[in-house]
Structures are given as C-alpha cells and as structure tokens.
Amino acid sequence: MYSTITPESQPVFHSHNRESSIARAAILPAASVMRAFVLGIALATMALIAPMIVAQTVQLSVDVSQPGPKIDRNIFGQFAEHLGHGIYEGIWVGPDSPIPNTRGIRNDVVAALKAIKVPDVRWPGGCFADEYHWRNGIGPQRVVTLNPNWGGVIEPNTFGTHEFMDFLDQIGAQAYVSVNVGSGTPREAAEWLEYLTAGQPTTLAKERTANGHPAPYKVAFLGVGNESWDCGGNMTPDYYLSQFRIYSRFVRNYNPEQQDKEQMLKIAVGPGGGEPRWTEWTDAIMKAYQNHQWSWDMNGLSMHSYTVGHWPPSFASVGFGETEYAQILKFTLEMEGLVAKYSAIMDTYDPQKKVALVVDEWGAWYAPLPGTNPGFLVQQNSLRDAVLASLNLNIFVRHAERVRMANIAQMINVLQAMILTDKDKMVLTPTYYVFKLYVPFQDATFVPVTFDASTYIHGDIKLPRVDAIAAKDKAGNLWLAITNVDPNQPAEIEASLAGATPKSAKGETLTAPNVDSINTFDVPNTVVPKPVAASVQSGKVTLKVEPKSVTVISIQQ
Ligand code: AHR
C-alpha cells in the first residue's frame, strides 16, 4: 500500500534574497561602522521576514498550429471509498435525515459535484473493495459487517449498488466499479456485473428490478482488484495475472448499449510507486498483455502514487510554513518521473498505446487531524493542495496520450478531498476550485506550450517557478492554465500564440494570503477563484499571476 520515499533532509533557510541584502549592506559608506553594522543586520532581517517582491517575466509560446491528443475528461475523475466519512455523512445521510437529500443522498454535495462535472467515480475501494461483498448492499434487508481496513467500524451497507448508481445519476458521472479479487471469487464478481447490466430477464436482472431498477445500469470501467501486491492479497505478478485473466474473461457487461461503442474498459492492478518490485510487476503485466489471446483483454493499467514524503504520513495539513510547502511540492513533482517511467515500460509492449495508464489513486496524504480517528484519514485542504493538484493535473495532461484516466483520493472528507462536511455543514476546498477551474480542459485538445519556468529556491529545494498547459475546447476556444509555485514573487506572463490571433482574454485566479490558507465552515471563502485581468497587446496575451496561485484564462480569437 505504501511507497517508501526517502525523506529530504530538512532544508536550511538561506534564500538568495538574504544574500543580495548582505551584498547591499557591504557597499554602505564606512562613516559609522556601528551604524552600518546595525543597518546591515536590519536589512538582512527584513529580507528574511519580507523577501523582495520582484515580478519575473515568463514568456510562453503556445503553438495552436500543433494540436496534440485529446485530454480525456476521465483525468478529472474521483475516488470514493467506504472509509471514514467519505460515503456515510459525506454522500449518504439516509432518506429520513433532516439534511436535505434526494433518496438519502445529500443535495448540497450533489450540486457542488455537478458544478465540477465529475466524469467518473471509482467505488467501493481501495483496500475496502477486496473485502466487499456486493450482496450485503442490496435489497430491503442489509447485512451489517465491519470495515477492518479503516478503523474497524461498523459497515451498515446502507449505501450499496443502487445507492451508488443513483448518486452517479444525480451528479452525471460514470461508474468505475472495483471488484473483489482478494477475498471474492470470479463468480461473485460475474454475478454482480450480471445483476448490474443484464437487459434480459435473468433471475439476477429480475432481482434488480424487484429492488427498484428495471433498466440495466451502465458500468464504464471495471477495476480488477486493488493494490493486489499488498492490501489486495499480497499476490505475486504471476498469481495476479492468473486471476486477472479469469476475471477479464468471465466478468461481463451485458448492457445492450455497451456491446459496441461504449464497451466497459477493464483495468488491471499496476504499480504503487517507484520501487523495483513495481517495475517488475508492470513489466510482467504488460508482457502478458502483449502476448494475450482472444479470450482475455486489458484496457488500462492502474498506478497509485500519493504525495506523502515518507510513511507513516507526518506532514501537517494546516499550520505549516514555506519549508513544508516547498518540501511537499518537491515530493509531488515525482509524479512526472513515475508517469514517464511506467509509460516507457508500457510503450515497449504496447507502442500503439491501447492500454491506458490509469492513475486511480493520487493526491496528498498528511498526518490525520488531531482528535480524529486515525483510520478515517481526515486532513485539511489548503492553498498548497490547490497548487499540488494543478501540478499533478498538468503532468497527466502532458501525458494525455497514455494517461487517460486519474482519480484523486478521495472525493469527500478523506485525504485530499473536494468537499468537507460536518453534519448539515459543507465547505468546498481549494482543491475543489482547481477542479472547477480546469473543467474547460475536459475532453479538450492538448496544445503545446513551451517556456522557461525559471526556478523557485527555498533553502536547498529548487522547483520550477511556473507551470503551464494549454488546450482548445470543442467550441474552438483556447484555454491556458498557469501555476505560480513561487509563494513570494508574482510572475508577468507574456503568451505568444502561433496559429491563432488573440482578440481578448479573461480568466480567474485562485490564491490566498498564506500557503496554508484554508476554507472553513465558518469562513468558507478564503481560497476561492476571483477574476483576473488579462489583456492582448501586440498579438500577445499578458497577465500578472500572483504568488502561490492557480490561474485559468480563456483566449478569444
Ligand atoms: O486511499 C486510501 C487507501 O490508499 C486505499 O484504500 C488503498 O488502495 C491505498 O493504499
């Protein structure tokens, strides 16, 4: 379940600003050594407290004449596991709750998720999936079980198959169902899919009808096990492959509308980090895929990678400073290396890129908030997470040819959530707003952008100061997303466009006073997008992006 990342040594604070201040102090006239000394100390101290604010100019070259692949909207997917208050309280309050709901599902949460156009939701786990037995969660009488993975709490199974599909229907998302390989059987999974998707009057389809849903459901994605090298059953690659072949063959989707165009895509367990064991795992799975016979197939390979620093998670999710901001962002950028590494292995066996790399668990994993059940993975969500989310989404987008799906962990109340709830209260997180800003990138066409990112330095940490992606939507509008990683310096952006003549530009930006600024139930609008001024001058789009910000602009041509 956990990847081991060697922790960075604690960086010592010695910014270049401090050095330049000392240099300036050295050329003071020598009238009073003491005065100069005091002044020097004062300047150096000021530089430490308030680094010089100098806007850097960053030239972006956006080449609209060289469109790239489609940015699959499923890159903006979500993950909802039976874990803590992710499902119960986060989505499900039950039809008798005083919290406004539709058939037991919170109306406020549904409205918020509709606004970010969630393309798909992975469910019911995670580690939970390999202990989930779907029959416990259907019909009028639910079987009460336990959730041994996550706090050992009661699992009432009141949120089951029908409730999940109803939830998807209400938010307009597709189903990504993870079936139980670890402690289930191919027959159990095959029957679940028949129950879900059969259009003909089989006994299972009639049972579905009796439970309130005569029409077959659609299941867009099938996950075959979860982290089967670890919490999913500690399998070897060969053992997992023997299981995958069987599940791939027998767990069928019978929905008449999914036999041709909308065929269910089957996703195999892939790597969980950068260790050699996952290189071997990926190699074995992809090699088997290359030689697969007609009787089984695979459309996606899952990859999990959390931004954690080191296990167990120890970074605070709130109440931190610039050092922890820089450290976490450095860790998160390791995603690029992982995606590149596993894409390269996949290219060896699948040069046509038929199999998608599916990053179906990603995001920040911090220490649990004090006072919460550690098994519930409760953490705050700050401006740092917004920057982190944009950097990861940009990586996925740049690899859009191979990365065709990703699911942030997890949607509500767990890890890097979009939404936090407390009884009838709900708050939208900074990460939520990044997903909202990025909606225009869903299913848009990738447009290459080149730039010199320059460097943000904090202690011994060096990070690209600026990141940017561009895309053209179906209506022909051009979109540009710019992340200013630097928490101290704004950046002046000058974007030149090849293959397009900009007429006007407008957009929104997400920033806040501090790197750990958060939205709370009482003060929900600290980190919310605000309009940003952008102009077109001499054929170039220019705008200023604030320190530690995520900005998305549309360019009218
Ligand atoms: O998202 C929390 C857990 O992290 C998932 O259940 C598991 O797949 C991963 O290790």
Coordinates of all heavy atoms in Angstrom, one line a residue, residues 290-340:
Q290 N 1.0 -8.1 -24.0 CA 1.5 -8.2 -25.4 C 1.2 -9.5 -26.0 O 0.9 -9.6 -27.2 CB 3.0 -7.9 -25.4 CG 3.5 -7.7 -26.8 CD 5.1 -7.6 -26.7 OE1 5.7 -8.3 -26.0 NE2 5.6 -6.7 -27.6
N291 N 1.2 -10.6 -25.2 CA 1.0 -11.9 -25.7 C -0.4 -12.5 -25.5 O -0.6 -13.7 -25.6 CB 2.0 -12.9 -25.1 CG 3.4 -12.4 -25.4 OD1 3.8 -12.1 -26.5 ND2 4.3 -12.4 -24.4
H292 N -1.3 -11.6 -25.1 CA -2.6 -12.1 -24.7 C -3.4 -12.7 -25.9 O -3.3 -12.3 -27.0 CB -3.4 -11.0 -24.0 CG -4.2 -10.1 -24.9 ND1 -5.5 -10.2 -25.3 CD2 -3.7 -9.0 -25.5 CE1 -5.8 -9.2 -26.1 NE2 -4.8 -8.5 -26.2
Q293 N -4.2 -13.8 -25.5 CA -5.0 -14.4 -26.6 C -6.4 -13.7 -26.6 O -6.7 -12.8 -25.8 CB -5.2 -15.9 -26.3 CG -4.0 -16.7 -26.3 CD -3.4 -17.0 -24.9 OE1 -4.0 -16.6 -23.9 NE2 -2.2 -17.6 -24.9
W294 N -7.2 -14.2 -27.5 CA -8.5 -13.6 -27.7 C -9.4 -13.6 -26.5 O -10.3 -12.8 -26.3 CB -9.3 -14.3 -28.9 CG -9.6 -15.7 -28.5 CD1 -8.8 -16.8 -28.7 CD2 -10.8 -16.2 -27.8 NE1 -9.4 -17.9 -28.2 CE2 -10.7 -17.6 -27.7 CE3 -12.0 -15.6 -27.4 CZ2 -11.6 -18.4 -27.1 CZ3 -12.9 -16.4 -26.8 CH2 -12.8 -17.7 -26.6
S295 N -9.2 -14.6 -25.6 CA -10.1 -14.9 -24.5 C -10.0 -13.9 -23.3 O -10.8 -14.0 -22.4 CB -9.9 -16.3 -24.0 OG -8.5 -16.5 -23.7
W296 N -9.0 -13.0 -23.3 CA -8.9 -12.0 -22.3 C -8.3 -10.7 -22.8 O -7.6 -10.8 -23.8 CB -8.2 -12.5 -21.0 CG -6.7 -12.7 -21.2 CD1 -6.1 -13.8 -21.8 CD2 -5.7 -11.8 -20.8 NE1 -4.7 -13.6 -21.7 CE2 -4.4 -12.4 -21.1 CE3 -5.7 -10.5 -20.2 CZ2 -3.2 -11.8 -20.9 CZ3 -4.4 -9.9 -20.0 CH2 -3.2 -10.5 -20.3
D297 N -8.6 -9.7 -22.2 CA -8.1 -8.4 -22.6 C -7.9 -7.4 -21.4 O -8.5 -7.7 -20.4 CB -9.1 -7.8 -23.7 CG -8.4 -6.7 -24.5 OD1 -7.2 -6.5 -24.4 OD2 -9.0 -6.1 -25.4
M298 N -7.3 -6.4 -21.7 CA -7.0 -5.4 -20.7 C -7.0 -4.0 -21.3 O -6.3 -3.8 -22.4 CB -5.6 -5.7 -20.1 CG -5.1 -4.8 -19.1 SD -3.5 -5.5 -18.6 CE -2.5 -4.1 -18.7
N299 N -7.6 -3.0 -20.8 CA -7.7 -1.7 -21.4 C -7.0 -0.6 -20.6 O -6.7 0.5 -21.1 CB -9.1 -1.3 -21.6 CG -10.0 -2.4 -22.2 OD1 -10.7 -3.0 -21.5 ND2 -9.8 -2.6 -23.5
G300 N -6.6 -0.9 -19.3 CA -6.0 0.1 -18.5 C -5.1 -0.6 -17.5 O -5.3 -1.7 -17.1
L301 N -4.1 0.1 -17.1 CA -3.2 -0.3 -16.0 C -3.2 0.7 -14.9 O -2.9 1.9 -15.2 CB -1.7 -0.5 -16.6 CG -0.7 -1.1 -15.5 CD1 -1.0 -2.6 -15.3 CD2 0.7 -0.8 -16.0
S302 N -3.6 0.3 -13.7 CA -3.7 1.3 -12.7 C -2.3 1.7 -12.1 O -1.4 0.9 -12.1 CB -4.6 0.7 -11.6 OG -4.2 1.0 -10.3
M303 N -2.2 2.9 -11.6 CA -1.0 3.3 -10.9 C -1.4 4.1 -9.7 O -2.3 5.0 -9.8 CB -0.1 4.2 -11.8 CG 1.2 4.7 -11.1 SD 2.2 5.7 -12.2 CE 2.2 7.2 -11.3
H304 N -0.9 3.9 -8.5 CA -1.2 4.6 -7.3 C 0.1 5.4 -6.9 O 1.2 4.8 -6.8 CB -1.6 3.7 -6.2 CG -3.0 3.1 -6.4 ND1 -3.6 2.3 -5.5 CD2 -3.8 3.2 -7.5 CE1 -4.7 1.9 -6.0 NE2 -4.9 2.5 -7.2
S305 N 0.0 6.6 -6.6 CA 1.1 7.4 -6.0 C 0.6 8.6 -5.2 O -0.1 9.5 -5.7 CB 2.0 7.9 -7.2 OG 3.0 8.7 -6.6
Y306 N 0.9 8.5 -3.9 CA 0.5 9.6 -3.0 C 1.6 10.5 -2.8 O 2.8 10.1 -2.8 CB 0.0 9.0 -1.7 CG -1.4 8.4 -1.8 CD1 -1.6 7.0 -2.0 CD2 -2.5 9.2 -1.8 CE1 -2.8 6.5 -2.1 CE2 -3.8 8.7 -1.9 CZ -3.9 7.3 -2.0 OH -5.2 6.8 -2.1
T307 N 1.3 11.8 -2.5 CA 2.3 12.8 -2.1 C 2.3 12.7 -0.6 O 1.4 13.2 0.1 CB 2.0 14.2 -2.6 OG1 1.9 14.1 -4.0 CG2 3.1 15.2 -2.1
V308 N 3.3 12.0 0.0 CA 3.3 11.8 1.4 C 4.6 12.2 2.1 O 4.7 12.6 3.2 CB 3.0 10.3 1.7 CG1 4.0 9.4 1.1 CG2 2.8 10.0 3.2
G309 N 5.7 12.1 1.3 CA 7.0 12.4 1.8 C 7.6 11.1 2.3 O 8.6 10.6 1.8
H310 N 7.1 10.6 3.4 CA 7.6 9.3 3.9 C 6.4 8.7 4.8 O 5.6 9.5 5.3 CB 8.8 9.5 4.8 CG 8.8 10.7 5.6 ND1 8.2 10.8 6.9 CD2 9.3 12.0 5.4 CE1 8.3 12.0 7.4 NE2 9.0 12.7 6.5
W311 N 6.4 7.4 4.9 CA 5.4 6.7 5.6 C 5.9 6.5 7.1 O 7.0 6.1 7.3 CB 5.1 5.4 5.0 CG 4.5 5.6 3.6 CD1 5.2 5.5 2.4 CD2 3.2 5.9 3.2 NE1 4.4 5.7 1.3 CE2 3.2 6.0 1.8 CE3 2.0 6.2 3.9 CZ2 2.0 6.3 1.1 CZ3 0.9 6.5 3.2 CH2 0.9 6.6 1.8
P312 N 5.0 6.6 8.1 CA 3.6 7.0 8.0 C 3.5 8.5 7.8 O 4.5 9.2 8.1 CB 3.1 6.6 9.4 CG 4.3 6.7 10.3 CD 5.4 6.3 9.5
P313 N 2.4 8.9 7.2 CA 2.3 10.4 6.9 C 2.5 11.2 8.1 O 1.9 11.0 9.1 CB 0.9 10.5 6.3 CG 0.5 9.1 5.9 CD 1.2 8.2 6.9
S314 N 3.3 12.3 8.0 CA 3.6 13.1 9.1 C 3.5 14.6 8.9 O 3.6 15.4 9.8 CB 5.0 12.8 9.7 OG 6.0 13.0 8.6
F315 N 3.4 15.0 7.6 CA 3.3 16.4 7.3 C 1.9 16.9 7.8 O 0.9 16.2 7.6 CB 3.4 16.6 5.8 CG 4.8 16.7 5.3 CD1 5.6 15.6 5.1 CD2 5.4 18.0 5.1 CE1 6.9 15.7 4.7 CE2 6.7 18.1 4.7 CZ 7.5 17.0 4.5
A316 N 1.9 18.1 8.4 CA 0.6 18.7 8.9 C -0.1 19.2 7.7 O 0.5 19.7 6.7 CB 0.9 19.8 9.9
S317 N -1.4 19.1 7.7 CA -2.2 19.6 6.6 C -2.6 21.1 6.7 O -3.1 21.7 5.8 CB -3.5 18.8 6.4 OG -4.3 18.7 7.5
V318 N -2.3 21.6 7.9 CA -2.6 23.1 8.1 C -1.6 23.5 9.2 O -1.1 22.7 10.0 CB -4.1 23.3 8.5 CG1 -4.4 22.7 9.9 CG2 -4.5 24.7 8.5
G319 N -1.4 24.8 9.3 CA -0.5 25.3 10.3 C 1.0 25.0 10.0 O 1.8 24.6 10.8
F320 N 1.3 25.2 8.7 CA 2.7 24.9 8.3 C 3.2 26.2 7.6 O 2.5 27.1 7.3 CB 2.8 23.7 7.3 CG 1.9 23.8 6.1 CD1 2.3 24.4 5.0 CD2 0.6 23.2 6.2 CE1 1.5 24.6 3.9 CE2 -0.2 23.4 5.1 CZ 0.2 24.0 3.9
G321 N 4.5 26.2 7.2 CA 5.1 27.3 6.6 C 5.7 27.0 5.2 O 5.4 26.0 4.7
E322 N 6.5 27.9 4.8 CA 7.1 27.8 3.4 C 7.9 26.6 3.2 O 7.9 26.0 2.2 CB 7.9 29.1 3.1 CG 8.3 29.1 1.6 CD 9.0 30.4 1.2 OE1 8.9 31.4 1.9 OE2 9.6 30.4 0.1
T323 N 8.6 26.2 4.3 CA 9.5 25.0 4.1 C 8.7 23.8 3.8 O 9.0 23.0 2.8 CB 10.3 24.8 5.5 OG1 11.1 25.9 5.6 CG2 11.1 23.5 5.4
E324 N 7.6 23.5 4.5 CA 6.8 22.4 4.3 C 6.0 22.5 2.9 O 5.7 21.5 2.3 CB 5.7 22.2 5.4 CG 6.4 21.8 6.7 CD 6.9 23.0 7.5 OE1 6.7 24.1 7.1 OE2 7.6 22.8 8.5
Y325 N 5.7 23.7 2.6 CA 5.1 24.0 1.3 C 6.0 23.5 0.2 O 5.7 22.7 -0.7 CB 4.8 25.5 1.2 CG 4.4 26.0 -0.2 CD1 3.1 25.9 -0.6 CD2 5.3 26.6 -1.1 CE1 2.7 26.4 -1.9 CE2 5.0 27.1 -2.3 CZ 3.6 27.0 -2.7 OH 3.2 27.5 -3.9
A326 N 7.3 24.0 0.3 CA 8.3 23.6 -0.8 C 8.6 22.1 -0.8 O 8.7 21.5 -1.8 CB 9.6 24.4 -0.6
Q327 N 8.7 21.5 0.4 CA 9.0 20.1 0.5 C 7.9 19.3 -0.2 O 8.2 18.4 -1.0 CB 9.2 19.7 2.0 CG 10.5 20.2 2.6 CD 10.5 19.9 4.1 OE1 9.5 19.9 4.8 NE2 11.7 19.5 4.6
I328 N 6.7 19.5 0.2 CA 5.6 18.7 -0.3 C 5.5 18.9 -1.9 O 5.3 17.9 -2.6 CB 4.2 19.1 0.4 CG1 4.2 18.4 1.7 CG2 3.0 18.8 -0.5 CD1 4.0 16.9 1.7
L329 N 5.7 20.1 -2.4 CA 5.6 20.3 -3.8 C 6.8 19.6 -4.5 O 6.6 19.1 -5.6 CB 5.6 21.8 -4.2 CG 4.3 22.5 -3.7 CD1 4.3 23.9 -4.2 CD2 3.0 21.8 -4.1
K330 N 7.9 19.5 -3.8 CA 9.0 18.8 -4.4 C 8.6 17.3 -4.5 O 8.9 16.6 -5.5 CB 10.3 19.0 -3.6 CG 11.5 18.3 -4.1 CD 12.7 18.6 -3.3 CE 13.8 17.7 -3.4 NZ 14.5 17.6 -4.6
F331 N 8.1 16.8 -3.5 CA 7.6 15.4 -3.5 C 6.6 15.1 -4.6 O 6.6 14.1 -5.3 CB 7.0 14.9 -2.1 CG 8.0 14.8 -1.0 CD1 7.9 15.4 0.2 CD2 9.2 14.0 -1.2 CE1 8.8 15.2 1.2 CE2 10.1 13.8 -0.2 CZ 9.9 14.4 1.0
T332 N 5.7 16.1 -4.7 CA 4.6 15.8 -5.6 C 5.1 15.8 -7.1 O 4.5 15.0 -7.9 CB 3.4 16.9 -5.5 OG1 2.2 16.2 -5.7 CG2 3.5 18.0 -6.4
L333 N 6.1 16.5 -7.4 CA 6.6 16.5 -8.7 C 7.3 15.2 -9.1 O 7.6 15.0 -10.3 CB 7.6 17.7 -8.9 CG 6.9 19.1 -9.0 CD1 7.8 20.2 -9.0 CD2 5.9 19.2 -10.2
E334 N 7.5 14.3 -8.2 CA 8.0 13.0 -8.5 C 7.0 12.2 -9.4 O 7.3 11.2 -10.0 CB 8.3 12.2 -7.2 CG 9.5 12.7 -6.5 CD 9.7 12.1 -5.1 OE1 9.0 11.1 -4.8 OE2 10.6 12.6 -4.4
M335 N 5.8 12.7 -9.4 CA 4.7 12.1 -10.3 C 5.2 12.1 -11.7 O 5.0 11.1 -12.4 CB 3.4 12.9 -10.1 CG 2.3 12.3 -11.0 SD 1.7 10.7 -10.5 CE 0.6 11.1 -9.2
E336 N 5.9 13.1 -12.2 CA 6.3 13.2 -13.5 C 7.3 12.0 -13.9 O 7.1 11.3 -14.9 CB 7.1 14.5 -13.8 CG 7.8 14.6 -15.1 CD 7.0 14.4 -16.3 OE1 5.8 14.9 -16.3 OE2 7.5 13.8 -17.3
G337 N 8.2 11.7 -13.0 CA 9.2 10.6 -13.2 C 8.4 9.3 -13.2 O 8.8 8.4 -14.0
L338 N 7.5 9.1 -12.3 CA 6.7 7.8 -12.3 C 5.9 7.6 -13.6 O 5.9 6.5 -14.1 CB 5.8 7.8 -11.1 CG 6.5 7.7 -9.7 CD1 5.5 7.7 -8.6 CD2 7.3 6.4 -9.6
V339 N 5.2 8.6 -14.0 CA 4.4 8.5 -15.2 C 5.3 8.2 -16.4 O 5.0 7.4 -17.2 CB 3.5 9.8 -15.4 CG1 2.9 9.8 -16.7 CG2 2.5 9.9 -14.3
A340 N 6.4 8.9 -16.4 CA 7.3 8.7 -17.6 C 7.9 7.3 -17.6 O 8.0 6.7 -18.6 CB 8.4 9.8 -17.5

